[in-house]
Amino acid sequence: MCDTCLIESVKQSMLSRRSLFTGAAATTAAALASGLTAARPALAQAAGRVVDLTHAYDGAFPTFDGNPGILYEPAVKFADSGYQLWKLTIFEHTGTHIDAPLHFTEDGTSVADLAPERLVCPLCIIDIKAKAAEDPNAMVEPADIEAYVSANGAIPAGACVAMNSGWAAKVGDPSYRNDAEGKFAFPGFSKAATDMLAGMDAACIGVDTLSLDPGNSADFAVHFSWLPGGRFGIENLAGLDGLPASGATVFIGAPKHKTGTGGPARVMAVV
């Protein structure tokens, strides 16, 4: 075969292969676009405003057991080494944090094994500030969920349903944790409400208080029913007043330590 013929043959082969790859790429792109379009309605059509739902915390941040949730120890000092770092002792359930299923089951899902697609989800905020102002142990009840749906539409499958009781403003004050008599007193969810949300396939619930259950709970009914079902919770949320009741997408930066029952998380919403 002459050189000219060989060059022409190679050129035609390359053009044919390029057409094949171009067609395959176009097909793949179309399939991806179709998948994204199908998944997208569950998430907010965000304009890009980011709201941090995470408290900055240290050893003084209120905890359920009253002990410091994080301890600092200098590991490397700048004056000695030209750089610095801390050795931290962190208790999993402190600050804004995740309650994984393993927290209330012997062999449930650990925080490291939470499905990634459950950590990016539509955010639905149920406001009970008026009730909480009258009763520090107020609860999100089925009627509150029904009122939310009536005003905002259905709660999407895979949603994070957060309670806004106004309690985040109390951080730093003893009333965040206790009443005047020193007893636990803060809002939470009722089991009837979380049973309803489980039927709606909500991925998680969130509270702006120390616990998913109200402070006066004697049996941790929500923890014992919600978490063993494979779902998770977020406690000590901040910033919920800066978001609409619906329309935001929440990004839950869960820690990923093996066999973890939960852990401090960076939680942010985009709207």
Side-chain angles (χ1 to χ4, degrees), residues 12-26:
Q12 292 301 319
S13 175
M14 290 176 67
L15 288 172
S16 176
R17 189 174 298 178
R18 184 181 299 168
S19 297
L20 175 63
F21 289 158
T22 301

Side-chain angles (χ1 to χ4, degrees), residues 99-103 105 107-115 227 230-231 260-262:
D99 278 10
L102 189 57
H103 185 34
T105 54
D107 56 358
T109 303
S110 79
V111 71
D113 296 320
L114 293 174
L227 298 177
R231 293 166 289 271
T261 70

Side-chain angles (χ1 to χ4, degrees), residues 232-256:
F232 64 97
I234 311 171
E235 294 172 338
N236 297 313
L237 284 168
L240 293 172
D241 280 335
L243 293 168
S246 64
T249 295
V250 66
F251 295 79
I252 304 160
K256 203 172 181 180

Side-chain angles (χ1 to χ4, degrees), residues 168-196:
K170 295 175 178 283
V171 168
D173 187 272
S175 62
Y176 185 77
R177 184 174 184 269
N178 297 327
D179 61 18
E181 298 177 354
K183 297 178 181 178
F184 282 138
F186 44 79
F189 278 84
S190 72
K191 182 179 180 297
T194 54
D195 286 348
M196 178 182 287

Side-chain angles (χ1 to χ4, degrees), residues 59-170:
F61 192 90
T63 59
F64 195 84
D65 63 9
N67 296 317
I70 181 170
L71 302 173
Y72 295 76
E73 180 183 341
V76 180
K77 297 181 180 180
F78 191 87
D80 298 334
S81 305
Y83 71 101
Q84 57 190 339
L85 61 88
W86 297 100
K87 175 184 177 181
L88 300 179
T89 301
I90 299 175
F91 293 86
E92 289 178 311
H93 299 270
T94 184
T96 302
H97 68 271
I98 302 286
D99 278 10
L102 189 57
H103 185 34
F104 268 70
T105 54
E106 187 174 4
D107 56 358
T109 303
S110 79
V111 71
D113 296 320
L114 293 174
E117 59 271 19
R118 298 293 247 186
L119 301 176
V120 180
C121 46
L123 178 62
C124 304
I125 301 174
I126 297 179
D127 191 318
I128 65 162
K129 289 197 293 288
K131 285 203 304 184
E134 297 182 357
D135 177 9
N137 292 296
M139 293 185 288
V140 175
E141 300 281 7
D144 298 304
I145 298 172
E146 291 167 357
Y148 174 92
V149 170
S150 178
N152 300 283
I155 291 173
C160 174
V161 180
M163 172 192 79
N164 184 2
S165 68
W167 231 247
K170 295 175 178 283

